Amino acid sequence: MNDHFRLTHEALDVAAAYAIADNARNGAVVLMSGMVRNQTGGRAVDYLDYQAYDTMALQVFQQISDRCHRQFPITDVVIHHRLGKLKIGEISVLVAVGSPHRGEAFEACRYAIDTLKVEAPIWKKEFWLDGVSSWVNCPI
């Protein structure tokens, strides 16, 4: 296994995440890139701010990876998430999965991002152009 997890305030690197998940055993690498869009629910977005409980989030990334390895015949899982203020178009999350076969790579990648969004203690606050802001799916 060549798994790699990262939380950072720095810009995420698509090529680096892909390279980590790429190895000679794989016939496929699937990479999902989540980015800040210019609107949510018809409201114009100014920027997003991501915060996390870092230690726990990295543990959740490991748990997601472990489940992926048990459920799918994959070789590599990469999960990188950005924190702090992100502008429209910036990448907030990268998930890359390497596998001998593309079907399993797609399934595991989707499972990983869907599970991350539910389980990882990472919170997003949206700031709209009208000056209003609100937390998204935040338990507080």
Side-chain angles (χ1 to χ4, degrees):
M1 286 189 315
N2 188 29
D3 297 341
H4 192 267
F5 314 118
R6 183 173 182 221
L7 290 168
T8 182
H9 284 85
E10 303 300 319
L12 298 179
D13 185 338
V14 171
Y18 184 95
I20 295 166
D22 188 20
N23 73 60
R25 295 173 297 186
N26 293 334
V29 173
V30 171
L31 184 134
M32 194 290 308
S33 171
M35 59 199 64
V36 179
R37 61 182 174 266
N38 66 356
Q39 60 80 35
T40 298
R43 293 180 77 178
V45 172
D46 188 12
Y47 65 93
L48 303 180
D49 183 44
Y50 285 92
Q51 296 181 21
Y53 179 0
D54 295 21
T55 306
M56 184 179 285
L58 292 170
Q59 290 173 353
V60 169
F61 291 1
Q62 181 66 61
Q63 292 167 359
I64 291 167
S65 175
D66 291 346
R67 280 183 258 158
C68 282
H69 283 288
R70 283 194 300 273
Q71 294 178 33
F72 307 100
I74 60 172
T75 59
D76 309 284
V77 176
V78 177
I79 302 173
H80 293 175
H81 206 296
R82 181 121 178 246
L83 301 175
K85 182 178 177 179
L86 280 76
K87 297 182 250 176
I88 293 166
E90 290 188 291
I91 297 171
S92 58
V93 62
L94 292 171
V95 176
V97 175
S99 175
H101 304 285
R102 70 180 176 275
E104 289 86 353
F106 274 108
E107 290 177 40
C109 190
R110 182 174 187 136
Y111 174 84
I113 188 62
D114 288 351
T115 305
L116 178 149
K117 295 203 47 100
V118 172
E119 295 182 6
I122 299 172
W123 303 283
K124 173 173 71 173
K125 189 171 188 179
E126 289 182 317
F127 292 81
W128 292 288
L129 286 177
D130 62 11
V132 176
S133 65
S134 67
W135 290 98
V136 178
N137 299 326
C138 185
I140 55 174

